[in-house]
Amino acid sequence: MGGFVPFGADKDKIAEELSGAVKFPTVTLQDGNAKGGAVFLEFQKYLEKTYPLLMSKAKKVQINGYAVIYMIDGSDKTLLPSAFLAHQDVVPALEDNWEFPPYSGEIHNGYVYGRGAQDMKAQMIASLHAMEQLLKSGAVLKRGAYFCFGHDEELRGDQGAAKIAEYLEQNNVKLEYVLDEGGAIVDGKMLGCKGKLALIGTCEKGYADIILTAESRGGHASMPKKRTALGTLSEAVMDVELSPMKSYFASPVKEMFKELAPAMPFPMKLALVNRDILSPILRFVLAKLHPVANSLIRTTFAPTQMKGANVPNTLPSVATANINVRINTGQTVEDVVKHIKAVVGRKISVSVDEGDSPASQVSSTTSNAYKNLRDTICTVFGATVAPYMFTAATDSGRYYGLTKNVYRFTPFDLNAEDGSRIHSANERMDINALAMGAEFFMTLYKNTLL
C-alpha cells in the first residue's frame, strides 16, 4: 500500500452538502409509523439530487418505509460487496441555547452547525461525496458498495437497520465487511499513550435499562413518613452507583492494549507486558485514568431518570428510576440483574425494560478487511491504530448474519469540546475534519473496492 495521496476534497462543496443535509429535521420516529416520516423521503431526494452519478449507478431499495439501501454492483462477481452504514435520524433539538437554529445548517467560522452535523450526517455525506468523486474520475468498482441508511438508530434500529439486514439475508447477500460509526481519533492521554490514537470498534457492549421501583403509602407532603418511596429509591440509586461490578479485561480489550503497548510510556508498557500478574493494579489505574478507560474494563451503570409524584406536594406511592447499563463482553443481562438485586435489597423491585441486547460478537483483527481499514487509517491520519470494544450501540450490530467483519470507526479528528456537543446544543462539524473524512473514504475505496 502506497503513501497518502489526497484527491483534494473541495471543502466549500462538502460543507454545503452537509449544510443541506442538516436542514432536514429527520428526528427519530417515536411511534414507528408514518407520522412525520415524509421528511425522511425528502431527505433521500436531496441525497439523490446531490450525488447524481452515484445514484445513476445505484439500485435503490426502500426498506420498511423510510430506511434505504443504495446498491452499486462491482464488476467482479466473485468479490463480496462492502457496506457503508449511516443513520438518517437525529435526536430532537430541545435545548434553547443554540447559537444558530438547529436545522439551519449554518456555516460559520469553519463549522457546519446543526442537529445531526456530527451524529451522523457528516459520516454519511463524507462517504457519499468520496464515492461521487471516485466515479467522476472514471473508476470502475470491482467490489460492490452498498450504502445502508437506517432511520431509527437512536431507538436501537429495530425498524431500520434490523429490517435492512433482514432484507439482505433474505436475498442471500453476504458482505466482505461493514463499516459504521464508532471508534474515533482520540488523544492518547486518556489511555496513557503518546500522540493520537485511532480506535476501531470490533465489537460493542450489551445494552439494558434496569428499572428500580420502590413502593410506600402515599399521602400529603406536609406529613411525610419516616421512609418515603422516593427517599428509599434515592438510596438504592446511590448504592448502585457506589457498587460497580468487578472490572476485568475482556478479550477485545486485551487485544487493544497489546497493540497500544509500544506507544505507552515505560511504566505502563511494563504493566501491560505483565498484565496477568499486575492486573489488579493496572485495572485500578485505568479506572481512575479517564471515564473512557474505566468503561473499557467493566459493565457501567448510569442513573438517567427518576420519577415520583406528578405534583410537588404529594408523596408518591410508587417511585421508579432507570439505570442505563452498558454490559461488558463476557457478562449478561442476567448477571447485571443478579448484581443489582444484591446491592439494593428486597425493598426495591428490579426489572429489565424492553429492548435489552447482549454484547455483540467480536470481529476479526486478522482479516484482510481489518488490515486494509487499519492501513488506510494509518496512511490518512498517521495515528496509532488499535481495536477496541465500542461502549455504545450502533446499527452495525444487526449485520453479523451477513459478515464476521463488522467494524466501527468515525474518521474525524475532532477536539474533545466539539465531541461533547453530540446530542447537545450547538452540535457542529469542523469542515477541515469533514474534508479529511472524505479523503479517508476515498482512500478506503481505492484500497478495498478497486
Side-chain angles (χ1 to χ4, degrees), residues 232-354:
T232 301
L233 180 66
S234 298
E235 287 186 1
V237 170
M238 184 178 69
D239 288 342
V240 170
E241 279 196 310
L242 296 176
S243 305
M245 296 179 75
K246 184 178 179 180
S247 65
Y248 62 92
F249 290 110
S251 58
V253 178
K254 289 180 180 179
E255 192 168 11
M256 179 189 75
F257 281 116
K258 179 181 177 181
E259 293 294 320
L260 292 181
M264 293 199 167
F266 177 75
M268 186 67 82
K269 186 185 300 185
L270 180 65
L272 289 172
V273 170
N274 297 281
R275 181 182 59 247
D276 293 338
I277 299 173
L278 301 176
S279 178
I281 297 174
L282 184 57
R283 286 185 281 116
F284 177 81
V285 172
L286 290 171
K288 301 294 184 183
L289 186 64
H290 193 280
V292 170
N294 180 59
S295 68
L296 291 173
I297 59 173
R298 70 170 75 250
T299 292
T300 58
F301 302 144
T304 55
Q305 294 174 309
M306 184 176 282
K307 183 179 180 180
N310 292 322
V311 293
N313 64 343
T314 298
L315 298 174
S317 58
V318 177
T320 60
N322 187 85
I323 309 293
N324 186 259
V325 182
R326 305 304 170 112
I327 306 168
N328 201 359
T329 298
Q331 291 181 326
T332 66
V333 175
E334 290 74 21
D335 294 331
V336 170
V337 171
K338 181 179 180 181
H339 173 84
I340 291 180
K341 282 184 174 181
V343 169
V344 301
R346 296 181 179 179
K347 293 182 179 180
I348 301 294
S349 171
V350 179
S351 61
V352 182
D353 199 8
E354 295 181 3

Side-chain angles (χ1 to χ4, degrees), residues 166-422:
E166 183 180 302
Y167 168 84
L168 294 174
E169 290 186 48
Q170 289 173 349
N171 285 273
N172 300 313
V173 172
K174 293 295 182 182
L175 298 170
E176 174 67 10
Y177 68 88
V178 165
L179 181 65
D180 197 4
E181 65 178 335
I185 301 168
V186 300
D187 187 339
K189 290 180 182 178
M190 67 174 56
L191 293 176
C193 296
K194 299 177 182 178
K196 292 283 187 179
L197 303 181
L199 302 176
I200 301 173
T202 55
C203 60
E204 57 190 46
K205 283 186 161 185
Y207 180 101
D209 286 307
I210 305 297
I211 308 300
L212 306 184
T213 303
E215 297 185 21
S216 177
R217 292 184 63 185
H220 199 284
S222 64
M223 296 177 288
K225 300 166 181 62
K226 184 176 181 180
R227 301 296 295 156
T228 64
L230 198 56
T232 301
L233 180 66
S234 298
E235 287 186 1
V237 170
M238 184 178 69
D239 288 342
V240 170
E241 279 196 310
L242 296 176
S243 305
M245 296 179 75
K246 184 178 179 180
S247 65
Y248 62 92
F249 290 110
S251 58
V253 178
K254 289 180 180 179
E255 192 168 11
M256 179 189 75
F257 281 116
K258 179 181 177 181
E259 293 294 320
L260 292 181
M264 293 199 167
F266 177 75
M268 186 67 82
K269 186 185 300 185
L270 180 65
L272 289 172
V273 170
N274 297 281
R275 181 182 59 247
D276 293 338
I277 299 173
L278 301 176
S279 178
I281 297 174
L282 184 57
R283 286 185 281 116
F284 177 81
V285 172
L286 290 171
K288 301 294 184 183
L289 186 64
H290 193 280
V292 170
N294 180 59
S295 68
L296 291 173
I297 59 173
R298 70 170 75 250
T299 292
T300 58
F301 302 144
T304 55
Q305 294 174 309
M306 184 176 282
K307 183 179 180 180
N310 292 322
V311 293
N313 64 343
T314 298
L315 298 174
S317 58
V318 177
T320 60
N322 187 85
I323 309 293
N324 186 259
V325 182
R326 305 304 170 112
I327 306 168
N328 201 359
T329 298
Q331 291 181 326
T332 66
V333 175
E334 290 74 21
D335 294 331
V336 170
V337 171
K338 181 179 180 181
H339 173 84
I340 291 180
K341 282 184 174 181
V343 169
V344 301
R346 296 181 179 179
K347 293 182 179 180
I348 301 294
S349 171
V350 179
S351 61
V352 182
D353 199 8
E354 295 181 3
D356 62 289
S357 58
S360 76
Q361 299 178 40
V362 181
S363 299
S364 171
T365 58
T366 59
S367 68
N368 287 331
Y370 179 85
K371 292 175 182 177
N372 283 326
L373 177 58
R374 177 197 63 201
D375 291 347
T376 298
I377 295 169
C378 287
T379 299
V380 176
F381 296 105
T384 299
V385 180
Y388 97 121
M389 178 174 56
F390 189 50
T391 56
T394 67
D395 278 344
S396 63
R398 306 287 186 163
Y399 286 75
Y400 278 102
L402 302 164
T403 179
K404 293 182 179 179
N405 301 321
V406 178
Y407 303 112
R408 304 155 181 86
F409 178 68
T410 300
F412 303 123
D413 189 355
L414 302 173
N415 61 45
E417 194 273 331
D418 275 337
S420 68
R421 294 170 181 248
I422 295 175

